[in-house]
Coordinates of all heavy atoms in Angstrom, one line a residue:
A6 N -5.2 119.4 19.4 CA -6.7 119.4 19.2 C -7.2 118.1 19.8 O -6.7 117.1 19.4 CB -7.0 119.5 17.7
V7 N -8.3 118.3 20.6 CA -8.9 117.1 21.2 C -10.4 117.1 20.9 O -11.1 118.1 21.1 CB -8.7 117.1 22.8 CG1 -9.4 115.9 23.4 CG2 -7.2 117.2 23.1
T12 N -18.0 107.7 21.7 CA -17.3 106.4 21.7 C -15.8 106.5 21.7 O -15.1 105.7 22.3 CB -17.7 105.5 20.5 OG1 -17.5 106.2 19.3 CG2 -19.2 105.2 20.6
L18 N -1.7 116.5 17.1 CA -0.7 117.6 17.2 C -0.7 118.3 15.9 O -0.4 117.7 14.8 CB 0.6 117.0 17.6 CG 1.8 118.0 17.7 CD1 1.6 118.8 18.9 CD2 3.1 117.2 17.8
V19 N -1.0 119.6 15.9 CA -1.1 120.4 14.7 C -0.1 121.5 14.7 O -0.1 122.3 15.7 CB -2.6 120.9 14.5 CG1 -2.7 121.7 13.2 CG2 -3.6 119.7 14.6
D22 N 1.3 125.5 10.3 CA 0.8 125.4 8.9 C -0.4 124.6 8.8 O -0.8 124.2 7.7 CB 1.9 124.8 8.0 CG 3.1 125.7 7.9 OD1 3.0 127.0 7.9 OD2 4.3 125.2 7.9
A42 N -13.1 111.1 34.4 CA -12.4 110.1 33.5 C -12.1 110.6 32.1 O -11.1 110.4 31.5 CB -13.2 108.8 33.5
I44 N -11.8 113.8 31.3 CA -10.8 114.9 31.4 C -9.4 114.2 31.5 O -8.4 114.7 30.9 CB -11.1 115.9 32.5 CG1 -12.4 116.7 32.0 CG2 -10.0 116.8 32.7 CD1 -13.0 117.5 33.1
A48 N -6.3 114.7 29.0 CA -5.1 115.2 29.5 C -3.9 114.2 29.1 O -2.8 114.6 28.8 CB -5.1 115.4 31.0
A49 N -4.2 112.9 29.2 CA -3.2 111.9 28.9 C -2.9 111.9 27.4 O -1.7 111.8 27.1 CB -3.8 110.5 29.3
S56 N 4.8 115.1 24.6 CA 6.1 114.4 24.8 C 6.7 114.0 23.5 O 7.9 114.0 23.3 CB 5.9 113.1 25.6 OG 5.5 113.5 26.9
R59 N 9.0 116.9 19.9 CA 10.3 117.6 20.2 C 10.6 118.8 19.4 O 11.1 119.8 19.9 CB 11.4 116.5 20.0 CG 11.3 115.4 21.0 CD 12.5 114.5 20.8 NE 12.3 113.3 21.7 CZ 11.7 112.2 21.3 NH1 11.3 112.1 20.0 NH2 11.5 111.2 22.1
P62 N 7.1 122.7 20.1 CA 6.6 122.8 21.5 C 5.1 123.2 21.4 O 4.7 124.0 20.6 CB 7.4 123.9 22.1 CG 8.1 124.6 21.0 CD 8.2 123.7 19.9
G67 N -6.9 122.9 22.1 CA -8.3 123.2 21.7 C -9.1 121.9 21.9 O -8.7 120.9 21.3
A68 N -10.1 122.0 22.6 CA -10.9 120.8 22.9 C -12.4 121.0 22.5 O -12.9 122.1 22.7 CB -10.8 120.4 24.4
P71 N -19.4 117.1 22.8 CA -20.8 117.1 22.4 C -21.7 117.7 23.4 O -21.3 117.9 24.5 CB -21.1 115.6 22.2 CG -20.2 115.0 23.2 CD -19.0 115.8 23.3
D75 N -21.1 126.1 27.0 CA -21.0 127.5 27.2 C -19.5 127.9 27.0 O -18.6 127.7 27.8 CB -21.3 127.9 28.7 CG -21.3 129.4 29.0 OD1 -20.5 130.1 28.3 OD2 -22.0 129.8 29.9
V80 N -17.5 125.7 29.9 CA -18.2 124.7 30.6 C -19.1 123.8 29.7 O -19.8 124.3 28.8 CB -19.2 125.4 31.7 CG1 -20.1 124.3 32.3 CG2 -18.3 126.1 32.7
R97 N -10.5 122.6 34.1 CA -9.9 121.3 34.6 C -8.9 120.7 33.7 O -7.8 120.3 34.2 CB -11.0 120.3 34.8 CG -11.9 120.6 36.0 CD -12.9 119.5 36.3 NE -13.8 119.9 37.4 CZ -14.9 119.2 37.7 NH1 -15.2 118.2 37.0 NH2 -15.6 119.6 38.7
G109 N -14.9 124.2 22.8 CA -15.9 124.5 21.9 C -16.9 123.3 21.8 O -16.7 122.2 22.3
D111 N -18.5 120.4 19.5 CA -17.9 119.6 18.4 C -18.5 119.8 17.0 O -17.7 120.0 16.0 CB -18.0 118.1 18.8 CG -19.4 117.6 19.0 OD1 -20.3 118.3 19.1 OD2 -19.5 116.3 19.2
G115 N -16.6 121.6 13.8 CA -16.5 120.9 12.5 C -17.0 121.8 11.4 O -16.4 121.8 10.3
A118 N -14.3 124.3 10.6 CA -13.2 123.7 10.0 C -13.5 123.5 8.5 O -12.6 123.6 7.7 CB -12.9 122.3 10.6

Side-chain angles (χ1 to χ4, degrees):
V7 179
T12 56
L18 179 68
V19 182
D22 295 325
I44 292 167
S56 294
R59 292 183 189 93
D75 183 333
V80 173
R97 287 185 184 168
D111 58 353

